[in-house]
Amino acid sequence: GEITDPHATGDVTAEEDLESVGGLVGDNDGNITDSHATGDVTGGNDTAVGGLVGVNQDDNGMIMQSFATGDVETGDAEFSATQAGGLVGENRGEIMESFATGDAEAGGGNDTGGRDLGAGGLAGENSGNITASYATGDVNVDFTEDADGAGGLVGNNGNDGAHIEESYAVGTVTSDSDANLGGLVGTNEARDGTGEVSESYWDVDATGQTESDGSDDAFGLNTDQMQGADALDDGNMDEFDDGTWGTVTDPNDDYPVLQAIDEQKQLDARD
């Protein structure tokens, strides 16, 4: 199926556990383009919860030039995995030129039989591809196992085919327990293998994290380096394509915006 240019504004709350819950779609196996959701999304235990989509499937799932602004929250992981992401709870497909500004919070985890628990500003878990996307929301988790991750962009980037490219994160990343934290990615190795992170940045001041699993520390920049003309024009984020990203200097310096989405929409979503 295909969804183009819709928007959803209401809050979404799942009454049952073991659900895929999203501000627009619970489970996506098609194309979502030029779409957005603004409501808060709350899931039960063992759920994948995203501001736009709960689970973006691997066969045909594509999210492009879309965004979400609502806060996302899951319950505990009692029997299975739980994932919370500002845009997508669990991404198995493709996310391109999209962003999320809402906060993501995930509950605690028990013995889930090897399933990974993740929370991220964009996606809780990624086993697909994320390209030219960003997240500005805060991430907080109460995970208790070593395999659990929380990241400014992705909690767990775990699969031999998982790839994050030309993306950034600037939200605060915190934990009430012993989860693995990262400015961009919390854990770059999950149950299905190790992911790949390339040409992507995080704000060490804003995230509170000086490291990100799978990335060289040089990709962690200060706020001043990532905002205004310094971001792209002065070469601090020199891996970014000038045809995809634009700088923001008026009326104030801000983080880069995607050229495929109206600039004012992006700035309004950050407020």
Side-chain angles (χ1 to χ4, degrees), residues 184-185 188 197-198 200-202 211-220:
L184 194 72
V185 172
N188 197 47
V197 183
S198 63
S200 298
Y201 303 86
W202 74 96
E211 298 180 348
S212 181
D213 200 18
S215 296
D216 189 284
D217 290 352
F219 286 92

Side-chain angles (χ1 to χ4, degrees), residues 150-154 173 180-187 202 207 209 211-213:
L153 192 79
V154 172
V173 181
N180 297 307
L181 306 183
L184 194 72
V185 172
T187 302
W202 74 96
T207 63
Q209 303 297 321
E211 298 180 348
S212 181
D213 200 18

Side-chain angles (χ1 to χ4, degrees), residues 123-184:
E125 182 171 340
N126 177 51
S127 57
N129 293 300
I130 296 173
T131 307
S133 298
Y134 69 87
T136 65
D138 298 337
V139 179
N140 179 261
V141 298
D142 188 23
F143 295 151
T144 58
E145 298 180 6
D146 290 341
D148 308 331
L153 192 79
V154 172
N156 289 318
N157 189 48
N159 187 298
D160 288 338
H163 190 200
I164 297 169
E165 181 179 9
E166 203 174 331
S167 300
Y168 75 84
V170 300
T172 303
V173 181
T174 56
S175 173
D176 298 326
S177 56
D178 297 326
N180 297 307
L181 306 183
L184 194 72

